[in-house]
Amino acid sequence: MSWLNRIRRGPSQSARARAAAVPEGLWRKCPGCATPLYRPELEKNQDVCPKCGHHLRIGARRRLDLFLDPEGREELFADVEPRDRLRFKDQRKYKDRLLEAQRKTGEKDALVAMRGRLCGLPVVVTAFEFEFLGGSMGYAVGEKFARAASLCREERIPLVNFSASGGARMQEALISLMQMAKTAAHVERLQAAGVPYVSVLTDPTFGGVSASLAMLGDLILAEPGARAGFAGPNIIEQTIRQKLPEGFQRAEFLLEHGAIDGIVDRRQMRQVIARLLAKLTGAPPLAEAT
Amino acid sequence: MNPNYLDFEQPIAELEAKIEQLKRVGNDQQLDIAEEVARLEEKCRKLIRKIYADLSPWQVVQVARHPLRPHASDYLQRVFEEFDELHGDRQFGDDPAIVAGLARLDGRPVAVIGEEKGRGIQERLRRNFGMPRPEGYRKARRILALAERFRLPVLTLIDTPGAYPGMDAEERGISEAIAGNLALMSRLKTPIICTVIGEGSSGGALAIGVGDRVNMLQYATYFVISPEGCANIIWKTVEKAPEAARAMGVTSEVLAELGIVDETIPEPLGGAHRDPAAMAETLKARLVAQVEELVAIPLDELLERRFARLSSYGN
């Protein structure tokens, strides 16, 4: 997975040459500074490079595992499955692409939902699986997020979402576009009920996901270096016919332009969000989160 | 090749040119050519009917983008009375890609928000080809809030190649501008009727497209990504746009089947561009009737229905 991501991001020639020399498995090269990292060490550090602080992409399950308290986790709405209402077919059938993505990731679709505790506080957390068709949002993602938000409203439990998505899922055409309206409507209801919703942007968050549930948090946080925006950098470069400046659409850029509340290191994410949620819900200070 | 006709409309262009020529000759030489003209005109109608009876999805996309197709500004003049344009988002600027204001619909005060592509080079540039920036969507948001405060039904006219994919749009938070409108429209305490009049492209269209009724003109198109964009991603060439258009189901026919579009509003023979006045008349009649229906529904129920509808997409 990580190896693929490195390829997609197009590391430098020298980095690529060095990558070839690193045995796959025990060692992994940092996509940020190209330092070879000892995998068990890296994992202990929550997949953040101990040398340069680069936040490596992680999957939905790992994300939930790092974020929630170990006890009392329960997966939600695992029965929600993707649908192919249009019987979409290009060179391959959408149905086959889905089966392949399911085999590759072990997930039914690109969003995993779980309830559990965060430093003792009850929360519902949803996390995007970018390896599942680029974390794209179709019916199943929209539906699962909507159900999670409904549950949170009914039981007055805060909702936290970690986004990682290329946007709407093309193969579900307008049904996927309408998931933007659906998820936005559910966030709006949740907020009207006074239940907090925290949105965390992780690398990358674009298109229809960015322009709906991800940018609607009561609080919007981002991991360091995460890229997020509406139009992808390639599209913008084609439109304006010039190169984008370094750091465009990264978390630091978003913070500077007032789009997000803060940048939070993955290793502090639990504590920061727990503290914020405790204040929003009127809970006393949390021993674990100070 | 006549640039005001699409490639599959060229036979119509030729026949119409012939009729024009015949009329001119007849006038000059005071010949009685009425019968011949009538015969050719009937032939022309048949030809149009034949061509338009069997448009492919890709051809529908082309009609939706037809150079002579009526735009939001045309309908503002023809469908509504007393349109007073309102400007600006009160934060950054005024975006000419979105036209908004107060008007009357058959006498009833309403708020109108439309995406405007512009006509002619100068005007198209000024309107950014109908690609709104964040300030456009935030102007729309301001008009929505105004409509809610004064209980005015909202009518939106969708026609855009998409939200503007530029650096400035990103800097000013285009994602938030769109997302915020979706959230607001999902619970706005006044009826909203959305009509795709031309091209409804992606989030930039949906940002003024959430409401109690979603209409499409017969040859309008609505998609999550343009057929060219889709073809580029999947087939690596825009040449495959016709296939992409078919695969995505971009016409009102397919979208009505999926339960996304409520009503298809029929266009005059050969498309809205052949008779903008007749198109406006049909559209007006439908909008007037829909507003009547919606204002009669108690607000709580209207909002419940809207939410249930949004929740059901894809079920």
Side-chain angles (χ1 to χ4, degrees):
Chain A
M1 177 191 96
S2 54
W3 190 80
L4 263 175
N5 286 339
R6 260 194 342 252
I7 295 297
R8 276 183 207 151
R9 283 203 203 163
S12 66
Q13 282 294 329
S14 63
R16 219 173 287 151
R18 236 175 307 160
V22 177
E24 193 57 31
L26 212 50
W27 291 84
R28 193 172 160 186
K29 194 175 51 68
C30 171
C33 66
T35 309
L37 303 170
Y38 188 51
R39 205 177 268 268
E41 195 109 331
L42 181 63
E43 274 169 26
K44 231 188 296 168
N45 205 33
Q46 306 201 5
D47 284 84
V48 175
C49 172
K51 292 275 185 294
C52 73
H54 181 89
H55 283 51
L56 282 79
R57 287 180 184 170
I58 56 173
R61 297 271 162 193
R62 173 119 167 96
R63 173 74 64 184
L64 293 163
D65 190 43
L66 291 174
F67 188 68
L68 285 167
D69 295 351
E71 294 83 32
R73 298 175 186 178
E74 180 200 344
E75 182 161 1
L76 299 170
F77 317 117
D79 57 328
V80 175
E81 294 200 33
R83 294 177 186 180
D84 180 19
R85 295 266 313 262
L86 284 162
R87 286 188 217 91
F88 190 97
K89 183 171 175 281
D90 45 79
Q91 287 142 324
R92 290 171 60 202
K93 287 182 183 158
Y94 173 43
K95 216 172 66 186
D96 294 338
R97 285 185 198 269
L98 280 173
L99 284 173
E100 189 192 287
Q102 286 171 340
R103 263 200 303 271
K104 182 172 114 186
T105 61
E107 304 297 344
K108 282 186 180 150
D109 209 301
L111 192 75
V112 181
M114 238 177 236
R115 68 187 297 169
R117 289 183 178 269
L118 175 68
C119 303
L121 290 173
V123 286
V124 169
V125 187
T126 49
F128 279 76
E129 177 54 65
F130 188 71
E131 291 302 303
F132 194 106
L133 298 176
S136 55
M137 177 161 71
Y139 161 76
V141 168
E143 179 67 17
K144 199 182 270 194
F145 182 87
R147 289 195 200 178
S150 290
L151 176 76
C152 289
R153 185 167 53 91
E154 281 156 23
E155 301 194 16
R156 304 197 64 80
I157 306 170
L159 176 63
V160 179
N161 176 67
F162 291 90
S163 50
S165 172
R169 187 171 298 165
M170 210 162 56
Q171 292 88 348
E172 291 187 35
L174 221 61
I175 289 173
S176 68
L177 188 73
M178 292 304 148
Q179 303 309 310
M180 293 170 66
K182 179 170 165 180
T183 56
H186 279 266
V187 169
E188 186 69 18
R189 277 223 160 174
L190 184 64
Q191 293 176 335
V195 179
Y197 164 49
V198 177
S199 167
V200 185
L201 312 177
T202 78
D203 192 61
T205 299
F206 279 91
V209 170
S210 165
S212 63
L213 61 100
M215 289 311 290
L216 289 172
D218 290 294
L219 305 172
I220 306 176
L221 306 171
E223 284 194 331
R227 288 175 310 168
F230 183 60
N234 294 343
I235 304 283
I236 299 174
E237 286 183 349
Q238 279 164 29
T239 307
I240 62 175
R241 295 195 185 89
Q242 63 185 72
K243 281 261 355 119
L244 291 170
E246 186 63 30
F248 186 73
Q249 291 180 321
R250 291 210 184 264
E252 297 72 18
F253 165 97
L254 298 172
L255 184 68
E256 190 189 322
H257 286 86
I260 59 175
D261 290 285
I263 299 173
V264 181
D265 189 294
R266 186 178 294 159
R267 294 159 295 184
Q268 267 93 56
M269 196 65 82
R270 273 172 52 80
Q271 288 75 7
V272 170
I273 294 182
R275 247 170 36 206
L276 290 166
L277 286 179
K279 290 188 192 87
L280 291 178
T281 55
L286 304 165
E288 205 193 327
T290 45
Chain B
M1 177 120 170
N2 187 328
N4 284 328
Y5 290 77
L6 302 170
D7 54 2
F8 59 86
E9 290 181 320
Q10 292 302 325
I12 305 171
E14 282 162 29
L15 198 49
E16 286 186 337
K18 210 157 141 193
I19 294 170
E20 275 310 303
Q21 201 182 5
L22 191 61
K23 280 181 181 166
R24 262 204 311 277
V25 171
N27 285 342
D28 289 352
Q29 308 189 0
Q30 298 179 342
L31 298 171
D32 186 17
I33 46 130
E35 213 170 290
E36 179 64 4
V37 168
R39 193 185 66 81
L40 285 177
E41 280 176 343
E42 181 51 31
K43 191 177 164 191
C44 193
R45 268 194 296 278
K46 276 191 186 145
L47 180 65
I48 297 169
R49 195 167 292 128
K50 184 160 166 280
I51 290 172
Y52 270 75
D54 196 24
L55 294 183
S56 71
W58 177 238
Q59 286 173 326
V60 170
V61 173
Q62 288 169 279
V63 176
R65 298 169 175 166
H66 198 288
L68 298 180
R69 191 167 177 87
H71 290 168
S73 299
D74 300 308
Y75 294 120
L76 285 170
Q77 296 309 317
R78 291 177 186 272
V79 171
F80 300 91
E81 308 107 63
E82 279 185 30
F83 174 62
D84 294 312
E85 185 169 1
L86 302 173
H87 293 277
D89 68 346
R90 300 292 187 273
Q91 295 178 45
F92 179 82
D94 183 41
D95 184 355
I98 289 192
V99 193
L102 302 179
R104 288 181 184 273
L105 177 63
D106 200 27
R108 181 197 296 276
V110 295
V112 194
I113 300 166
E115 287 160 331
E116 175 57 53
K117 290 180 168 179
R119 215 179 288 288
I121 294 293
Q122 285 305 317
E123 187 63 5
R124 277 153 56 101
L125 280 171
R126 193 174 77 81
R127 305 268 186 200
N128 199 27
F129 305 92
M131 293 184 285
R133 291 181 161 89
E135 47 275 23
Y137 294 119
R138 290 183 179 131
K139 169 167 68 179
R141 201 186 297 182
R142 194 171 71 78
I143 302 304
L144 289 164
L146 183 77
E148 179 178 57
R149 234 164 18 247
F150 297 96
R151 294 288 149 90
L152 305 177
V154 178
L155 298 119
T156 74
L157 304 172
I158 295 166
D159 191 15
T160 179
Y164 182 57
M167 266 174 80
D168 56 343
E170 296 290 330
E171 283 164 351
R172 296 197 289 277
I174 187 80
S175 283
E176 191 280 339
I178 295 171
N181 282 14
L182 305 181
L184 177 62
M185 293 179 95
S186 75
R187 62 141 188 88
L188 198 78
K189 295 193 186 92
T190 191
I192 305 174
I193 299 171
C194 310
T195 307
V196 187
I197 56 169
E199 184 178 12
S201 182
S202 194
L206 188 65
I208 59 164
V210 178
D212 303 297
R213 289 278 185 283
V214 178
N215 302 314
M216 271 178 87
L217 301 191
Q218 188 177 358
Y219 303 120
T221 182
Y222 200 177
F223 39 70
V224 68
I225 179 171
S226 71
E228 293 94 326
C230 176
N232 222 349
I233 292 171
I234 292 179
W235 287 275
K236 313 290 174 209
T237 166
V238 294
E239 302 287 304
K240 294 282 185 183
E243 274 92 333
R246 192 174 295 285
M248 290 197 295
V250 298
T251 60
S252 61
E253 205 181 341
V254 176
L255 298 173
E257 250 169 64
L258 292 175
I260 290 168
V261 165
D262 300 294
E263 187 171 329
T264 301
I265 299 175
E267 298 196 16
L269 180 61
H273 57 285
R274 296 198 65 89
D275 195 345
M279 183 71 256
E281 202 178 314
T282 312
L283 177 59
K284 180 177 179 176
R286 289 313 303 143
L287 294 181
V288 169
Q290 289 180 354
V291 169
E292 297 270 321
E293 273 169 50
L294 293 175
V295 296
I297 301 171
L299 202 51
D300 288 352
E301 195 188 324
L302 185 77
L303 293 179
E304 271 314 311
R305 280 194 207 175
R306 191 187 301 162
F307 184 74
R309 205 294 175 78
L310 294 172
S311 298
S312 77
Y313 283 135
N315 289 1

